[in-house]
Amino acid sequence: MIPWVKIDTARIPGTDAELRLMRRGAEFSIMLGTNELMNSRLSGSEAALATLAAKKIEKVAKPHVLIGGLGMGFTVRAALGVLGIKAQVVVAELVPAVVAWARGPMAEIFGDSLIDPRVSVLETDVTEVIRSRARTFDAILLDVDNGPEGLTRKANDALYNSAGLKAAHAALHPGGVLAVWSSGPNPPFAKRLRGAGFDVNEVAIRATGRGGGARHVIWIATRE
């Protein structure tokens, strides 16, 4: 079997935690300690985050979409595939090295997505983008950390607590959608979404998107 090789490491801002970019042949993995945060073979649920949200805003002529977390680009590529040519897609990524990996060792995975004229990438905390842009977005897609149960950075809780969800609600146009990826179910989070003024649908998605792999959860929360 081909062994894993460490390509690079990156410190997560505001923490002592370190991400590791690993490669085995054509396969990539991003690790935090013993936890695999993402793998280039498992894109189904991250792509569904975009396609499910896009379905909710398909009647919007010029959709303005915010993606929190660049990762391996599965969500942004899926969004570009289903949104029209007049869409604007803003990607907020906290760890600058992740953007560098996307344009360097993982460039083949990303293809032309980051040079698509519809896309802009901000090296910043998505929380700050949400808080600074009232009634700006038609959809906000969050694939940050492990979902509402934080793993990589305690400050990410601010995205998923009641105040963070109310900020996301305020950043959306009426009828806009907040789509949230999670590694598993979280009933208290669903309750918080409803408390923040969202109509909530919880969808179970396989990691591979083809009926296999771990079962992840995506919340599709529509601003009422």
Side-chain angles (χ1 to χ4, degrees), residues 47-102:
L49 180 67
T51 56
L52 291 171
K55 186 69 175 176
K56 287 286 188 179
I57 60 169
E58 61 184 354
K59 294 183 179 179
V60 178
K62 299 179 180 179
H64 195 178
V65 176
L66 171 64
I67 298 176
L70 177 60
M72 291 187 174
F74 302 130
T75 301
V76 67
R77 286 193 350 247
L80 293 173
V82 293
L83 296 172
I85 61 173
K86 295 182 179 180
Q88 290 180 267
V89 179
V90 178
V91 181
E93 171 54 55
L94 178 69
V95 185
V98 171
V99 181
W101 296 343

Side-chain angles (χ1 to χ4, degrees), residues 83-205:
L83 296 172
I85 61 173
K86 295 182 179 180
Q88 290 180 267
V89 179
V90 178
V91 181
E93 171 54 55
L94 178 69
V95 185
V98 171
V99 181
W101 296 343
R103 291 175 171 146
M106 293 196 294
E108 187 172 340
I109 295 175
F110 279 79
D112 295 332
S113 59
L114 298 188
I115 60 172
D116 190 297
R118 294 172 290 175
V119 174
S120 58
V121 179
L122 306 177
E123 295 180 3
T124 189
D125 189 337
V126 68
T127 305
E128 298 305 317
V129 180
I130 290 171
R131 289 175 177 170
S132 64
R133 303 197 187 184
R135 292 205 175 195
T136 297
F137 301 106
D138 298 293
I140 298 173
L141 317 181
L142 297 180
D143 183 4
V144 175
D145 212 314
N146 220 33
E149 292 293 337
L151 176 67
T152 66
R153 182 171 175 261
K154 183 64 178 175
N156 289 334
D157 291 348
L159 272 173
Y160 302 116
N161 61 23
S162 294
L165 295 178
K166 288 178 181 177
H169 187 278
L172 289 165
H173 292 303
V177 62
L178 171 66
V180 180
W181 182 97
S182 176
S183 61
N186 191 312
F189 177 67
K191 184 177 180 179
R192 290 199 300 275
L193 280 168
R194 294 184 178 95
F198 290 100
D199 179 61
V200 181
N201 183 28
E202 185 174 316
V203 183
I205 297 287

Side-chain angles (χ1 to χ4, degrees), residues 41-46 204-216:
R41 294 186 298 106
L42 304 174
S43 61
S45 59
E46 288 87 350
I205 297 287
R206 291 289 191 180
T208 62
R210 298 186 298 273
R215 190 182 295 275
H216 298 153

Side-chain angles (χ1 to χ4, degrees), residues 1-5 23-26:
M1 178 176 288
I2 301 173
W4 284 103
V5 176
R23 182 171 188 169
R24 181 172 64 184

